[in-house]
Amino acid sequence: MFAKAFRVKSNTAIKGSDRRKLRADVTTAFPTLGTDQVSELVPGKEELNIVKLYAHKGDAVTVYVSGGNPILFELEKNLYPTVYTLWSYPDLLPTFTTWPLVLEKLVGGADLMLPGLVMPPAGLPQVQKGDLCAISLVGNRAPVAIGVAAMSTAEMLTSGLKGRGFSVLHTYQDHLCPEGRQLDIKKSSYKKLSKFLQQMQQEQIIQVKELSKGVESIVAVDWKHPRITSFVIPEPSPTSQTIQEGSREQPYHPPDIKPLYCVPASMTLLFQESGHNFQPPSLGKFLWTKRTSRSHPFLPVMILHMVMLTSVRKREETRGRKLRKGSFLEGSEVRTIVINYAKKNDLVDADNKNLVKLDPILCDCILEKNEQHTVMKLPWDSLLTRCLEKLQPAYQVTFPGQEPIVKKGRICPIDITLAQRASNKKVTVVRNLEAYGLDPYSVAAILQQRCQASTTVTPAPGAKDSLQVQIQGNQVHHLGWLLLEDYQLPRKHIQGLEKAPKPGKKK
């Protein structure tokens, strides 16, 4: 849940009544804690804050922070201890043990799979599906993660310790752990936020206005004020910098998208002689197709070609090379193969170097049925264009540091549309973010902050395992800026940018 950065909505000191209610909730949720332990966990007079935040997937979470350390968090009215709290009360939850190398996967957001469990001599703790559990490492009693059991202990044993064991909510070193630096207005010379805003207004840095009774808002900022332009962020200490770099989320780098072509069985003859791995159709099947059963002026030549290719195929097979269709080629490779084929077989017209004579293989590969006996030559550009059009489209996506992913078909562009919802409200919907390595929940969180509008993430209709982001209002301009400038995606892979609202005419 906290594997990626979250957005803080508010951070306020807890009230006395809320502090008493929290104590009662802790006693109910964790009955094994005694009265003194509850008082230690939720102190009576020490500083205790309530932080309301939105996780990267959009979940609303309430975190209780004592002395700068998160001690509890609440999700959907359920109270959970943090890893920091479990270090003080290691027996608070049933504890399961895994190997130290698994921690890195858990911190990255993975759930704990049952094959990763270590079976203790006394057996696994007895839990039911949905029970809250702690996870520790071999050789260290201190818990490093908190999760919910995906099945009971009996079901775990029955499955042979296979499958998902725990849905992990929080881990050591995730973004919920403090990074060592906080800004506390109470520890400054202003003591109160209202006094700080009043001073900034007197220096004409900001303009504050009371929009409603008791609610003050910043309505203007002088970004060119010397106090702002001269501000420099202080360099963190080496220790703090190491901690921050270890927990910082990796920056996004756009994938390298490359169009490819897959050779169908009907065109293997043209590409076979280039040495690529394609399986030519059988000789008998080729000679008796409807296209060649008619009187064909090149039929004797075609038979000769087939006999030669069959012998070539047998020689290749004897060398241990497996020929089969389905190889993927780049556009430049296709052009090179076609050009070399024409030159090798003396198909370039002697009188006009811009024309290529069509032999039986080229005729069968690129011409339509009604052109078989009428088209004898083609210009180079027409020949290459027709050849590319006859090939099956494919594409390769390569993310930094990962193996290339090759798929047939054309990559779906990021699709931006406008729709009407209840009360005739207009919303912006964006789909296919996952194909470009973008997390819809992260995109929704960024847009919510930039557009100051509500966002939701829902399953995309008609697409399996795909999500769509919906933003209130026409936010195509903000969305386009995010995709083109921040994520640096090519414009050709984004459709719907023209739906951005037109700027109003100057009066």
Side-chain angles (χ1 to χ4, degrees):
M1 175 172 294
F2 305 106
K4 296 184 180 181
F6 49 77
R7 183 171 64 88
V8 177
K9 179 182 179 182
S10 63
N11 186 350
T12 58
I14 194 170
K15 299 178 182 178
S17 58
D18 291 335
R19 192 187 295 258
R20 291 190 293 271
K21 181 180 182 300
L22 179 59
R23 278 207 196 106
D25 292 341
V26 170
T27 302
T28 303
F30 312 107
T32 58
L33 288 178
T35 304
D36 294 341
Q37 291 176 317
V38 173
S39 299
E40 290 176 359
L41 183 60
V42 187
K45 295 184 179 180
E46 294 182 16
E47 180 184 2
L48 186 63
N49 283 32
I50 300 178
V51 180
K52 295 187 177 181
L53 55 87
Y54 291 106
H56 70 280
K57 290 188 176 181
D59 298 311
V61 185
T62 300
V63 181
Y64 297 93
V65 181
S66 177
N69 295 310
I71 57 172
L72 300 161
F73 65 94
E74 188 175 10
L75 174 66
E76 296 180 352
K77 298 183 179 181
N78 293 321
L79 199 62
Y80 304 94
T82 63
V83 169
Y84 178 82
T85 296
L86 290 181
W87 290 347
S88 300
Y89 309 99
D91 298 323
L92 184 61
L93 301 175
T95 303
F96 292 79
T97 307
T98 187
W99 301 103
L101 292 177
V102 178
L103 177 59
E104 181 181 355
K105 302 294 183 182
L106 301 182
V107 174
D111 290 333
L112 179 59
M113 309 303 287
L114 290 177
L117 288 183
V118 177
M119 181 69 71
L124 297 176
Q126 295 298 316
V127 298
Q128 298 298 321
K129 181 179 179 180
D131 285 356
L132 190 62
C133 304
I135 301 168
S136 64
L137 303 180
V138 172
N140 192 337
R141 185 166 175 260
V144 296
I146 298 166
V148 177
M151 60 180 74
S152 66
T153 303
E155 292 172 330
M156 294 179 189
L157 298 174
T158 303
S159 68
L161 294 183
K162 294 181 179 179
R164 185 168 62 94
F166 302 89
S167 299
V168 177
L169 301 177
H170 162 51
T171 66
Y172 166 67
Q173 288 186 336
D174 66 9
H175 284 262
L176 187 60
C177 298
E179 293 188 348
R181 295 199 303 169
Q182 294 183 358
L183 295 177
D184 192 346
I185 194 69
K186 293 182 179 179
K187 296 181 180 179
S188 68
S189 59
Y190 301 100
K191 303 299 181 184
K192 292 184 178 180
L193 181 61
S194 58
K195 290 185 178 181
F196 170 75
L197 295 178
Q198 184 180 5
Q199 179 65 30
M200 295 299 102
Q201 184 167 242
Q202 289 177 358
E203 297 182 23
Q204 297 182 346
I205 298 176
I206 64 174
Q207 183 179 349
V208 181
K209 186 176 182 181
E210 188 176 20
L211 299 181
S212 59
K213 188 176 180 180
V215 178
E216 291 184 333
S217 299
I218 300 175
V219 295
V221 179
D222 182 7
W223 297 107
K224 297 182 180 180
H225 194 280
R227 289 285 297 273
I228 295 181
T229 57
S230 62
F231 177 76
V232 178
I233 300 177
E235 290 291 334
S237 63
T239 304
S240 174
Q241 189 174 10
T242 302
I243 296 175
Q244 291 177 20
E245 289 178 354
S247 60
R248 186 181 299 140
E249 185 178 353
Q250 292 295 323
Y252 173 83
H253 295 285
D256 177 38
I257 303 172
K258 185 182 297 182
L260 299 177
Y261 298 91
C262 182
V263 179
S266 60
M267 297 187 68
T268 52
L269 290 176
L270 176 59
F271 290 85
Q272 186 73 44
E273 291 187 351
S274 65
H276 284 77
N277 297 342
F278 302 113
Q279 176 69 52
S282 63
L283 180 61
K285 180 179 179 181
F286 180 82
L287 292 178
W288 293 104
T289 56
K290 289 183 178 180
R291 180 178 297 181
T292 58
S293 61
R294 304 187 306 272
S295 176
H296 200 295
F298 298 115
L299 188 57
V301 182
M302 295 173 70
I303 297 176
L304 179 60
H305 269 279
M306 289 304 304
V307 173
M308 292 176 61
L309 288 177
T310 302
S311 63
V312 170
R313 175 187 170 193
K314 288 182 178 180
R315 288 200 305 269
E316 293 290 348
E317 288 178 338
T318 58
R319 293 175 187 171
R321 182 179 182 185
K322 187 176 181 181
L323 300 177
R324 54 187 170 185
K325 64 180 180 181
S327 292
F328 295 95
L329 302 173
E330 297 184 28
S332 58
E333 293 180 292
V334 173
R335 293 182 178 87
T336 301
I337 291 173
V338 174
I339 291 173
N340 290 341
Y341 177 85
K343 292 181 177 179
K344 180 180 178 181
N345 293 278
D346 296 326
L347 299 180
V348 181
D349 191 279
D351 299 326
N352 188 349
K353 300 295 184 180
N354 293 325
L355 295 178
V356 179
K357 296 180 291 184
L358 303 183
D359 68 351
I361 292 180
L362 286 176
C363 287
D364 196 63
C365 288
I366 65 173
L367 292 183
E368 302 296 335
K369 291 182 180 180
N370 57 354
E371 297 176 322
Q372 290 284 338
H373 304 289
T374 58
V375 179
M376 308 301 293
K377 300 178 183 179
L378 281 176
W380 276 109
D381 56 349
S382 178
L383 174 65
L384 295 172
T385 300
R386 284 181 177 233
C387 186
L388 290 173
E389 289 175 349
K390 291 290 184 178
L391 298 176
Q392 296 173 352
Y395 63 93
Q396 173 182 290
V397 180
T398 306
F399 292 97
Q402 300 183 21
E403 291 294 324
I405 301 172
V406 179
K407 294 184 178 181
K408 290 187 177 181
R410 291 182 173 86
I411 186 171
C412 295
I414 293 179
D415 182 39
I416 303 173
T417 58
L418 298 177
Q420 299 290 130
R421 293 295 185 260
S423 303
N424 205 29
K425 291 182 179 179
K426 186 175 291 186
V427 295
T428 305
V429 181
V430 56
R431 302 181 180 91
N432 302 330
L433 293 169
E434 300 94 332
Y436 299 84
L438 296 175
D439 179 13
Y441 291 99
S442 299
V443 173
I446 294 173
L447 290 172
Q448 184 181 36
Q449 185 176 7
R450 290 192 180 184
C451 306
Q452 293 297 301
S454 63
T455 60
T456 57
V457 180
T458 58
K464 185 179 180 181
D465 299 330
S466 182
L467 300 174
Q468 66 179 19
V469 178
Q470 177 178 298
I471 316 105
Q472 186 176 11
N474 186 336
Q475 308 296 349
V476 178
H477 176 71
H478 289 284
L479 189 54
W481 185 269
L482 176 66
L483 297 175
L484 295 173
E485 300 297 330
D486 292 5
Y487 291 134
Q488 299 179 0
L489 292 175
R491 183 179 289 270
K492 64 181 179 180
H493 293 302
I494 307 172
Q495 65 180 20
L497 293 175
E498 72 281 356
K499 298 181 177 68
K502 300 296 185 292
K505 295 183 180 179
K506 296 182 179 180
K507 296 181 179 180

